[in-house]
Amino acid sequence: MEEEFYATVKLLSGEELVSKVCYCSDEDVLILEKPLLVEPASHKKNGVEVNGFSLKEWIVASFDQMFVIDKKNVLTVTEVEKKIIEFYEVSLQKINNGNLTNSIEKLSRSSGYLGSVEKMKESLENIYKKS
């Protein structure tokens, strides 16, 4: 077995993974530790579209943390830079803590999250009458 390193692994299936990787030359396989699936992500910020990626669990129906992939199923492997390693580790922590999505805090009824049509209608009429 060779030394472990953090890498992006592109599979022939089209999936892209970020993981700690170790190549096992005896069996010609890659051993992936806690692989996360890369998904493209984009959003608009001040009218400009910003593109990037997010990481999520690759295999969700297993508690295993290590997976063996035959090298013939791998298109390419490339070592990742420190910023991506840090993002990967933060994503792992969020997944382990159950924070898979940006949770929205519960809003009170008076904050506008919930309300009645009548109260809103009255409020809008008051604004209109003042102008």
Side-chain angles (χ1 to χ4, degrees):
M1 269 207 230
E2 295 184 20
E3 192 172 320
E4 295 178 339
F5 60 99
Y6 289 92
T8 296
V9 180
K10 184 76 169 186
L11 301 176
L12 290 175
S13 65
E15 295 169 301
E16 184 177 342
L17 308 172
V18 175
S19 177
K20 190 182 286 187
V21 177
C22 183
Y23 176 61
C24 184
S25 56
D26 297 342
E27 298 176 30
D28 205 25
V29 296
L30 291 178
I31 299 172
L32 305 181
E33 183 180 342
K34 301 176 185 173
L36 296 180
L37 181 66
V38 176
E39 287 196 329
S42 64
H43 71 279
K44 286 198 174 188
K45 187 174 185 177
N46 298 329
V48 176
E49 188 168 333
V50 179
N51 294 307
F53 65 91
S54 63
L55 298 174
K56 71 175 202 173
E57 288 180 285
W58 178 45
I59 297 181
V60 292
S62 173
F63 294 114
D64 290 343
Q65 295 186 3
M66 300 185 86
F67 300 90
V68 178
I69 298 181
D70 195 316
K71 194 175 161 200
K72 68 182 177 185
N73 295 318
V74 176
L75 184 61
T76 189
V77 176
T78 185
E79 197 165 354
V80 294
E81 57 189 61
K82 186 173 180 153
K83 284 185 178 184
I84 294 177
I85 294 170
E86 290 169 357
F87 181 61
Y88 165 80
E89 289 175 343
V90 167
S91 297
L92 270 179
Q93 287 177 352
K94 287 181 180 179
I95 289 169
N96 290 336
N97 293 334
N99 300 331
L100 295 176
T101 59
N102 295 337
S103 59
I104 299 173
E105 292 182 27
K106 297 268 183 187
L107 300 175
S108 67
R109 185 174 280 277
S110 63
S111 69
Y113 183 69
L114 294 173
S116 72
V117 173
E118 291 301 318
K119 284 184 180 180
M120 183 56 73
K121 181 180 174 186
E122 184 180 319
S123 173
L124 290 172
E125 285 175 350
N126 288 338
I127 292 170
Y128 181 73
K129 287 178 186 177
K130 288 180 183 179
S131 2

